[in-house]
């Protein structure tokens, strides 16, 4: 997916479903960077028949359950599911995330919201926060610099 479309048709509408304090520049950069890191912003289903879904590559028993159960996010996740006409269950959300980019973006933002510290603005700290939130089975640090740089340029370019 073009980053312009990812931002315009997934991330920005997701921010509209969440409290205004969640729709920050830092959050948008993170969300674009993670979509690039996880799926290249090209694959809604994990390659090789893996379990992850959506551009942010959520797994049912991982990020989806985590967002729906975390005390800081469960209300917002359920509210977004209802707003998009899905039951607020892990099965329904997991299935929907593969094709509903807005819901997938909501879950991505909410997973970042579970971090105890503010979102980083530098690449190195951002990498650590990404690892903490996503807990990738096979992290690819060699791709992070390019993902972060591209996301930063994209989001800041849209604001100019």
């Amino acid at each position: 997916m073009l980053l312009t479309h990812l931002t315009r048709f997934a991330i920005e509408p997701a921010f509209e479903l969440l409290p205004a304090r969640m729709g920050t520049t830092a959050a948008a950069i993170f969300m674009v960077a993670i979509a690039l890191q996880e799926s290249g912003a090209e694959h809604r289903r994990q390659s090789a028949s893996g379990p992850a879904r959506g551009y942010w590559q959520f797994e049912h028993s991982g990020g989806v359950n985590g967002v729906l159960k975390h005390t800081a996010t469960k209300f917002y996740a359920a509210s977004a599911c209802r707003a998009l006409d899905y039951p607020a269950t892990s099965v329904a959300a997991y299935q929907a995330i593969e094709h509903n980019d807005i819901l997938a973006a909501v879950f991505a933002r909410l997973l970042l919201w579970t971090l105890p510290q503010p979102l980083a603005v530098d690449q190195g700290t951002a990498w650590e926060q990404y690892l903490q939130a996503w807990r990738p089975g096979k992290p690819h640090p060699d791709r992070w610099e390019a993902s972060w740089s591209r996301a930063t340029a994209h989001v800041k370019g849209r604001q100019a």
Side-chain angles (χ1 to χ4, degrees):
M1 175 177 271
L2 294 173
L3 294 186
T4 302
H5 291 165
L6 182 71
T7 304
R8 183 174 177 197
F9 299 118
I11 295 172
E12 290 172 0
F15 286 168
E16 292 294 320
L17 293 172
L18 297 168
R21 68 184 181 276
M22 290 188 192
T24 65
T25 298
I29 292 170
F30 254 95
M31 292 168 70
V32 172
I34 293 170
L36 288 168
Q37 182 74 13
E38 287 289 318
S39 69
E42 296 176 0
H43 308 285
R44 287 188 172 102
R45 183 178 280 252
Q46 188 175 14
S47 59
S49 302
R53 301 290 184 264
Y55 292 123
W56 290 274
Q57 298 292 285
F58 276 91
E59 293 185 16
H60 177 253
S61 60
V64 173
N65 269 333
V67 166
L68 284 167
K69 292 181 179 180
H70 195 283
T71 57
T73 59
K74 65 184 177 182
F75 169 81
Y76 303 118
S79 177
C81 285
R82 285 190 302 273
L84 296 169
D85 294 327
Y86 296 104
T89 66
S90 61
V91 171
Y94 173 70
Q95 290 172 344
I97 281 171
E98 183 174 357
H99 298 288
N100 189 317
D101 300 331
I102 297 170
L103 188 61
V106 165
F107 272 66
R109 178 60 185 108
L110 291 175
L111 188 55
L112 290 169
W113 191 254
T114 67
L115 293 170
Q117 64 277 27
L119 292 178
V121 294
D122 67 281
Q123 174 193 316
T125 307
W127 170 253
E128 295 303 320
Q129 288 182 316
Y130 158 70
L131 292 176
Q132 185 180 0
W134 256 254
R135 300 180 201 159
K138 295 180 183 178
H140 297 279
D142 53 308
R143 295 194 319 233
W144 182 252
E145 182 178 354
S147 295
W148 184 259
S149 296
R150 190 171 166 203
T152 300
H154 168 71
V155 171
K156 291 190 174 181
R158 286 181 58 82
Q159 295 174 341

